[in-house]
Amino acid sequence: MIGQIIDGTAISAKLRGEVAIAAAALRAHQQIVPTLAVVLVGDDPASAVYVKAKAKAAREANVDVRDHKLPATTTQAELMALVAELNADPIVDGILVQLPLPPHLDSDAVIRALDPSKDVDGLHPTNLGYLAQGKPVFVPCTPKGCMRLLREVGVDPAGLRAVVLGRSVLVGKPIALLLQNANATVTMCHSKTRDLADEVRRADIVVAAIGRPEMVRGEWIKPGATVLDVGINRTAEGKLVGDVHFTSAIQHAHAITPVPRGVGPMTIACLLENTVEAARRRRG
Ligand code: NDP
């Protein structure tokens, strides 16, 4: 059996189209232009590329973007002052502070300072708390994208056994909560898990978010399982690969995301969806 390749590029384009229609409706009927403030501190090249991609996708989805580029020497007090200003600005619906911040800055304090109603990245403790209660408001974008991919390939997690590899606040923990909220039976694995292969073998849904190139082998995948590969890793040869060994895993999976063009494109689309939702909730 050869599994279906889940086309994240096409599905994200579909989602961005839906967002564009929702944003255009807000503009036409209520004169609201959903506005996202993006804060980028320093000159991390990967972050700069990502921020540029966000700006382009936002324009196409009728979302206004305001870029705030700050030098790497920005102090905590200066960054907190900008966050306070954006929190108070009635035009700004969503605030995205691009992570990672330079090491001298306390990113937890910055996230805690965000107005939760503008936290379109879903990382404020209030939003993570709502998610843990099973009453999500703003959900972190990559996990939200993973759930949409499952829906698009017709996989209802209810009653299925899901294994999440990785327990970060950004990806692993929220995806596990979303899967639980969708009635999956969820096992979380991490670097201290004794037998990763054994856990994966029992899973109907595998979400890999560990940042270890091709560590999950095809023979670990239960026949018919759905595999979402969140990992983005660069090999010594400069090739982008996921956390799953794609060519062997697709021999067993029912459906699987490639890297690139799988989970990755969904993140920006979900950020825009959250921004339009924030505009609707705040002003609509
Ligand atoms: P973190 O480094 O924050 O977390 C990695 C997690 O993986 C930790 O929980 C860690 O366990 C676990 N882990 C590490 N090594 C192993 C191992 N050998 N066996 C089992 N578990 C292990 O990473 P993120 O969650 O931020 O990101 C994970 C991956 O996803 C990265 O490749 C990142 O680039 C990618 N990513 C992709 C996005 C996208 O848009 N597609 C968005 C965000 C991230 P422990 O807690 O015990 O240390």
Side-chain angles (χ1 to χ4, degrees):
M1 182 180 78
I2 296 274
Q4 173 191 352
I5 298 178
I6 304 173
D7 185 346
T9 305
I11 296 170
S12 75
K14 179 176 166 190
L15 175 55
R16 281 183 280 119
E18 292 168 12
V19 172
I21 291 168
L26 274 178
R27 189 185 294 224
H29 303 305
Q30 292 170 282
Q31 291 76 51
I32 294 167
V33 180
T35 300
L36 173 68
V38 177
V39 180
L40 176 63
V41 186
D43 36 33
D44 175 45
S47 292
V49 168
Y50 194 45
V51 165
K52 218 170 140 192
K54 274 175 191 163
K56 182 171 177 284
R59 271 196 305 277
E60 288 165 8
N62 301 319
V63 171
D64 202 13
V65 174
R66 303 198 168 180
D67 280 325
H68 295 267
K69 289 203 175 83
L70 304 180
T73 51
T74 301
T75 65
Q76 185 78 22
E78 285 165 340
L79 185 53
M80 297 297 259
L82 175 61
V83 167
E85 196 185 298
L86 297 172
N87 281 344
D89 187 338
I91 294 298
V92 172
D93 296 301
I95 306 171
L96 173 93
V97 180
Q98 183 64 44
L99 302 175
L101 291 171
H104 68 282
L105 295 171
D106 178 352
S107 50
D108 286 344
V110 174
I111 289 164
R112 276 198 305 272
L114 293 171
D115 176 344
S117 73
K118 296 188 177 189
D119 168 39
V120 286
D121 237 359
L123 295 176
H124 189 284
T126 297
N127 283 319
L128 291 172
Y130 286 140
L131 177 59
Q133 286 179 335
K135 297 169 186 158
V137 180
F138 294 117
V139 173
C141 302
T142 304
K144 184 174 178 162
C146 288
M147 296 305 285
R148 175 69 188 248
L149 291 176
L150 286 180
R151 190 142 60 85
E152 289 287 336
V153 292
V155 174
D156 177 358
L160 298 183
R161 201 186 284 270
V163 166
V164 178
L165 311 183
R167 56 175 163 183
S168 72
V169 171
L170 192 63
V171 189
K173 284 196 175 106
I175 189 87
L177 287 168
L178 285 167
L179 286 164
Q180 245 176 60
N181 292 348
N183 299 314
T185 302
V186 182
T187 301
M188 290 203 69
C189 301
H190 43 74
S191 65
K192 304 291 184 293
T193 298
R194 269 204 203 129
D195 189 342
L196 211 58
D198 190 48
E199 301 294 343
V200 171
R201 270 188 200 108
R202 283 181 284 146
D204 304 302
I205 299 172
V206 180
V207 183
I210 53 179
R212 296 283 178 268
E214 301 179 324
M215 189 173 154
V216 177
R217 311 306 297 177
E219 58 273 21
W220 299 5
I221 304 296
K222 178 178 169 180
T226 302
V227 180
L228 302 179
D229 189 354
V230 181
I232 302 174
N233 312 286
R234 205 169 275 284
T235 62
E237 299 77 42
K239 194 175 155 223
L240 271 191
V241 297
D243 291 341
V244 179
H245 187 262
F246 181 82
T247 47
S248 60
I250 198 170
Q251 309 294 327
H252 304 265
H254 149 73
I256 179 169
T257 56
V259 176
R261 293 184 288 280
V263 173
M266 295 303 290
T267 301
I268 291 179
C270 289
L271 173 72
L272 299 174
E273 189 182 32
N274 280 352
T275 303
V276 173
E277 174 63 13
R280 208 182 48 73
R281 280 174 180 269
R282 290 182 57 254
R283 303 193 273 162

